[in-house]
Amino acid sequence: MTSENHTTVKVDTSMVMSPTGSATQGSPVSPSTSKPMPELPDELVQAGWSKCWSKRENRPYWFNRFTNQSLWEMPVLGQHDVISDPLGLNAAPAEGTGDAGVGNGQRKRRLSEEAAQGGPNSFKRSKVGIPVTPTTPIVPISPITPGAKPWNSTTGTEDKPGQHSMPAPAPYRPSLYRSCGRIYWDLDVQTNAVIRERPPANHLPPHPEMELQRAQLTTKLRQHYHELCYQREGIEPPRESFNRWLLERKVLDKGPDPLLPSECDPIISPSMFREVMNDIPIRLSRIKYKEEARKLLFKYAEAAKKMIDSRNATPDSRKVVKWNAEDTMNWLRRDHSASKEDYMDRLDHLRKQCGPHVAAVAKDSVEGICTKIYHISAEYVRRIHQAHQALLKDCNVSDPEAADVQDRLVYCYPIRLALPSPAQPRVELHFENDIACLRYKGEMVKVNRSYFTKLELLYRYSSIDDPRFEKFLSRVWCLIKRYLVMFGAGVNEGTGLQGALPVPVFEALNKQFGVTFECFASPLNSYFKQFCSAFPDTDGFFGSRGPFLNFSPASGSFEANPPFSEELMDAMVTHFEKLLEKSSEPLSFIIFVPEWRDPLTPALHRMETSAFLRHQMSVPAFEHEYRSGSQHICKKEEMYYKAVHGTVIIFLQNAAGFAKWEPTPERIQELLAAYQVSSSSSCL
């Protein structure tokens, strides 16, 4: 993260983007500290306050480098308003801009208290010459944006002066955590993503009691899946197939639960069906040595013969499988001088001969597994939803009035919930060395102290209904618990689905291609403070813009590194092409997907043949790295891991996006240089 540069502020209409998007969003400019000021009390210095001098007003003021708040009077520790930007640097030049109230009687710092409205020093300009049109991006409704109508989670009305409750000070001092001089995130990067203003979402607000119930039922569902695979097919569930089932189902699901599916068409999951069938009659593992190949060939022949004898197969299928299995066994007994390649060729031949017949007899059983798991999930969703509704009713939480949403383009802002949050139970926090431990009803979740501080910063930037941080710990507990449940309980299970690009790559993407937004991330692994993630109910308080398939930007530069689910990646490409066809503003997507060509995945094929393809390149396997999906809890030496597959980097851009962020040879070279293994592994 970069430090704040304190310079004199000059305000003009360049803060507003032109209808063509050619003008850039003005970056926040901090006040000047050119004149030496007396020392502040240590408590205020630790909270981020410093005394500065205003050249414009020729008087001192106080500035907080953590919240960008500025006051004319000496601040009172613990009673500052974090939901403010008194300098007006991010305010839209629209009429009706009012001042949010500031507690404890402190006055906000203004550009000029003596200048008349509309005078030369006034931030407001004449509306003539700056028409606000449907194609004019304006400042989003965001907790740090004054001048826009702030959304109140309780009433949905504009906050009146004096109604703001004063937030408690940050529980921990935000600090920069670096690894060999490189940070793991940069929350100072401002967004260039523009969307159409949208109403608050109708998701039920998170609560630890409901998250605990969801975790218990999801664990039971995993156990059911394990038992069904073993009882019906005699196999262990394919590794991470349940996690990929969750991802694939949520592409189609229209049910109320953010994690478990309940309203999908078709009911049978192609992902789960495909992965279970691939492990029938036995799972084929990676082979390194000749003896391993010989044993695997024998086991496959034996399992195929046993399976065809025990199932209701046709006479022709039974004859083909038994003959090929017995012929393979006789060959194994007869020939002991074969090489590893000979065994693997024979195994491939056996699979081609027996595979279709084995699949035919297993088809109904595997479809039964998929159907059973889906119906159990739907029943669990019904239980959770009923319990959640009852909890909200007990807390007197009712549906709010419809929010007033204007048909205008705004810079993207975190997703908001329509329903206010109920009172939250107590969540205990303690630290064990560099690990933050949060406990609710004996259930503990853990996160590295640095990532806990990151969550605190994201919460400060994004949450608008909890200025005192009274719900912060319970929301962090719900957030971490949700991702733990999605990952699964196995060693390193699920972490690959949340892998992230190395920090140098993000830096190159931002510098060379103007990338400011991640299409698939989470509050735990994001590099920017603006991102899309899987769970809008828990993640929105920490900056999430919601699921990407429900996010429709009109312009901006985006990075997409999706979880490696074929159905999700295919839906992603469909969404990309719809957005690129619809928008005439600069729009660019840089996509990182695995180079799976045997067989070629539909998503990769569609992107390589897309009309919006501007450039494509590959990074070989084992020559680049990813950040671990468990980076928020893993050790420093486990932060990066080598990619076992090649990665394809694809640029999809419309004409305006290509003109603005063209993948020139020089820019591509900078990106590839940042992708070298040495850029990250040398830090460990």
Side-chain angles (χ1 to χ4, degrees):
M1 299 180 201
T2 59
S3 60
E4 298 289 348
N5 296 321
H6 291 233
T7 57
T8 303
V9 179
K10 294 183 180 180
V11 183
D12 57 27
T13 57
S14 64
M15 294 294 294
V16 182
M17 292 178 65
S18 68
T20 62
S22 58
T24 57
Q25 180 187 9
S27 58
V29 184
S30 301
S32 170
T33 55
S34 56
K35 295 190 177 183
M37 292 287 111
E39 292 291 330
L40 288 174
D42 290 339
E43 294 82 3
L44 292 179
V45 174
Q46 292 295 322
W49 289 99
S50 59
K51 192 174 182 181
C52 309
W53 185 265
S54 172
K55 292 182 178 180
R56 179 184 298 104
E57 304 294 337
N58 198 29
R59 59 189 286 194
Y61 67 95
W62 284 262
F63 174 74
N64 191 304
R65 67 180 183 275
F66 298 149
T67 66
N68 290 333
Q69 184 184 9
S70 17
L71 301 172
W72 285 124
E73 285 86 24
M74 170 87 70
V76 178
L77 186 64
Q79 296 184 348
H80 57 279
D81 178 16
V82 299
I83 309 176
S84 63
D85 181 9
L87 296 177
L89 297 178
N90 294 322
E95 62 180 352
T97 55
D99 297 331
V102 180
N104 74 9
Q106 295 177 348
R107 291 187 301 133
K108 295 180 178 181
R109 177 174 172 265
R110 305 179 186 275
L111 288 174
S112 177
E113 295 181 340
E114 291 79 22
Q117 184 176 2
N121 291 329
S122 174
F123 179 71
K124 292 186 178 180
R125 303 298 190 195
S126 172
K127 296 178 68 177
V128 178
I130 313 177
V132 179
T133 68
T135 59
T136 305
I138 53 181
V139 177
I141 298 175
S142 120
I144 57 172
T145 304
K149 182 179 179 182
W151 177 77
N152 185 286
S153 65
T154 304
T155 64
T157 61
E158 185 173 355
D159 292 332
K160 299 296 189 297
Q163 287 185 348
H164 265 310
S165 57
M166 278 77 69
Y172 303 96
R173 179 183 177 184
S175 56
L176 300 180
Y177 285 81
R178 300 178 179 271
S179 174
C180 289
R182 295 191 181 275
I183 58 175
Y184 292 142
W185 53 81
D186 189 348
L187 307 185
D188 293 333
V189 176
Q190 301 301 314
T191 186
N192 57 20
V194 175
I195 62 172
R196 192 160 296 279
E197 189 174 331
R198 52 185 178 174
N202 292 321
H203 305 286
L204 300 182
H207 190 280
E209 191 64 35
M210 302 316 306
E211 207 56 48
L212 185 59
Q213 181 177 347
R214 180 178 289 107
Q216 293 168 347
L217 292 178
T218 304
T219 300
K220 288 182 64 177
L221 188 62
R222 287 180 182 272
Q223 293 172 350
H224 281 303
Y225 179 50
H226 185 280
E227 292 169 0
L228 286 171
C229 287
Y230 187 78
Q231 292 171 0
R232 296 194 179 190
E233 301 301 332
I235 62 171
E236 295 289 326
R239 178 174 172 79
E240 305 223 22
S241 60
F242 186 89
N243 299 335
R244 283 185 286 271
W245 174 76
L246 289 175
L247 292 173
E248 179 266 331
R249 293 282 84 184
K250 296 312 289 186
V251 173
L252 306 172
D253 186 46
K254 298 179 181 178
D257 195 82
L259 179 63
L260 296 176
S262 60
E263 297 181 22
C264 298
D265 185 22
I267 290 176
I268 297 174
S269 163
S271 171
M272 180 177 285
F273 179 83
R274 180 178 61 249
E275 294 197 41
V276 174
M277 290 294 288
N278 285 342
D279 279 7
I280 293 175
I282 64 169
R283 177 179 300 173
L284 300 179
S285 56
R286 295 176 181 269
I287 300 300
K288 293 183 179 180
Y289 306 106
K290 182 180 75 171
E291 286 303 315
E292 291 178 345
R294 187 174 188 277
K295 290 180 181 179
L296 186 64
L297 176 59
F298 182 83
K299 287 182 179 179
Y300 187 93
E302 186 179 46
K305 181 181 178 182
K306 180 179 179 181
M307 185 173 184
I308 208 72
D309 284 337
S310 61
R311 302 291 178 93
N312 187 21
T314 64
D316 288 342
S317 294
R318 197 182 303 275
K319 180 179 179 181
V320 170
V321 173
K322 291 182 69 174
W323 187 88
N324 279 279
E326 290 174 356
D327 181 64
T328 299
M329 292 180 182
N330 291 332
W331 179 79
L332 287 171
R333 297 187 188 99
R334 195 170 56 242
D335 191 347
H336 296 281
S337 61
S339 64
K340 172 189 169 183
E341 288 71 22
D342 293 332
Y343 290 128
M344 298 308 296
D345 289 343
R346 188 81 183 200
L347 176 60
D348 186 59
H349 173 77
L350 184 62
R351 291 186 66 194
K352 289 179 180 178
Q353 295 296 318
C354 300
H357 302 283
V358 170
V361 298
K363 179 176 180 292
D364 291 343
S365 176
V366 176
E367 287 181 347
I369 294 175
C370 299
T371 303
K372 182 72 171 178
I373 292 299
Y374 172 79
H375 286 309
I376 295 175
S377 174
E379 171 61 20
Y380 287 170
V381 169
R382 186 189 64 80
R383 292 189 202 174
I384 295 171
H385 192 69
Q386 287 183 350
H388 208 153
Q389 293 281 18
L391 184 147
L392 295 178
K393 184 177 180 180
D394 293 341
C395 295
N396 297 319
V397 176
S398 58
D399 293 338
E401 297 179 1
D404 182 19
V405 177
Q406 302 181 37
D407 185 16
R408 58 177 182 172
L409 294 176
V410 298
Y411 289 110
C412 70
Y413 53 94
I415 195 167
R416 308 298 185 206
L417 300 184
L419 285 173
S421 294
Q424 299 290 308
R426 177 181 175 81
V427 172
E428 299 175 358
L429 169 69
H430 71 276
F431 288 90
E432 297 176 358
N433 298 323
D434 282 338
I435 302 296
C437 304
L438 296 91
R439 183 190 302 271
Y440 174 71
K441 287 191 174 181
E443 292 285 331
M444 182 182 293
V445 298
K446 298 181 179 182
V447 62
N448 286 339
R449 185 189 290 263
S450 59
Y451 283 81
F452 184 76
T453 301
K454 176 194 179 184
L455 292 176
E456 190 258 357
L457 287 172
L458 289 172
Y459 192 79
R460 183 185 298 280
Y461 292 146
S462 306
S463 176
I464 63 174
D465 68 337
D466 185 28
R468 290 185 180 274
F469 278 69
E470 294 171 341
K471 302 174 183 177
F472 172 68
L473 292 180
S474 64
R475 286 172 173 173
V476 170
W477 189 92
C478 290
L479 168 76
I480 300 175
K481 189 67 174 178
R482 176 75 59 82
Y483 280 95
L484 284 176
V485 171
M486 186 185 75
F487 284 173
V491 178
N492 296 325
E493 184 179 0
T495 58
L497 300 176
Q498 284 284 306
L501 301 179
V503 169
V505 176
F506 274 118
E507 292 174 340
L509 290 172
N510 175 246
K511 181 179 179 181
Q512 303 298 330
F513 302 100
V515 172
T516 65
F517 194 104
E518 296 168 74
C519 297
F520 299 92
S522 75
L524 298 170
N525 75 350
S526 66
Y527 178 79
F528 304 113
K529 67 174 179 284
Q530 44 272 344
F531 56 90
C532 282
S533 64
F535 307 121
D537 58 330
T538 55
D539 300 0
F541 300 108
F542 301 90
S544 173
R545 273 61 172 168
F548 179 70
L549 297 182
N550 299 331
F551 182 75
S552 300
S555 70
S557 183
F558 301 83
E559 173 268 352
N561 177 29
F564 298 159
S565 162
E566 292 188 27
E567 290 75 15
L568 176 59
M569 290 191 290
D570 195 45
M572 171 194 72
V573 177
T574 301
H575 193 53
F576 283 157
E577 294 191 331
K578 287 181 179 179
L579 295 174
L580 291 166
E581 288 174 357
K582 183 179 179 181
S583 178
S584 59
E585 301 293 323
L587 192 57
S588 171
F589 297 100
I590 305 177
I591 305 108
F592 299 76
V593 292
E595 192 168 14
W596 291 341
R597 298 189 180 277
D598 187 21
L600 180 65
T601 60
L604 183 55
H605 173 70
R606 291 177 59 193
M607 287 190 287
E608 290 180 334
T609 58
S610 172
F612 299 101
L613 177 66
R614 304 296 180 177
H615 187 75
Q616 173 182 345
M617 57 186 178
S618 298
V619 185
F622 301 103
E623 293 185 14
H624 64 293
E625 296 181 332
Y626 284 93
R627 274 187 298 154
S628 171
S630 60
Q631 59 183 272
H632 60 282
I633 194 61
C634 70
K635 298 178 181 179
K636 180 180 177 181
E637 56 270 19
E638 299 172 351
M639 179 65 73
Y640 289 92
Y641 63 91
K642 289 186 178 181
V644 297
H645 52 72
T647 295
V648 181
I649 307 175
I650 293 177
F651 291 74
L652 298 183
Q653 300 170 326
N654 61 8
F658 179 69
K660 189 170 185 178
W661 300 297
E662 179 183 356
T664 62
E666 295 77 16
R667 289 174 172 175
I668 294 298
Q669 186 60 38
E670 290 292 332
L671 178 59
L672 289 176
Y675 225 139
Q676 299 303 314
V677 174
S678 58
S679 63
S680 57
S681 62
S682 60
C683 295
L684 301 179

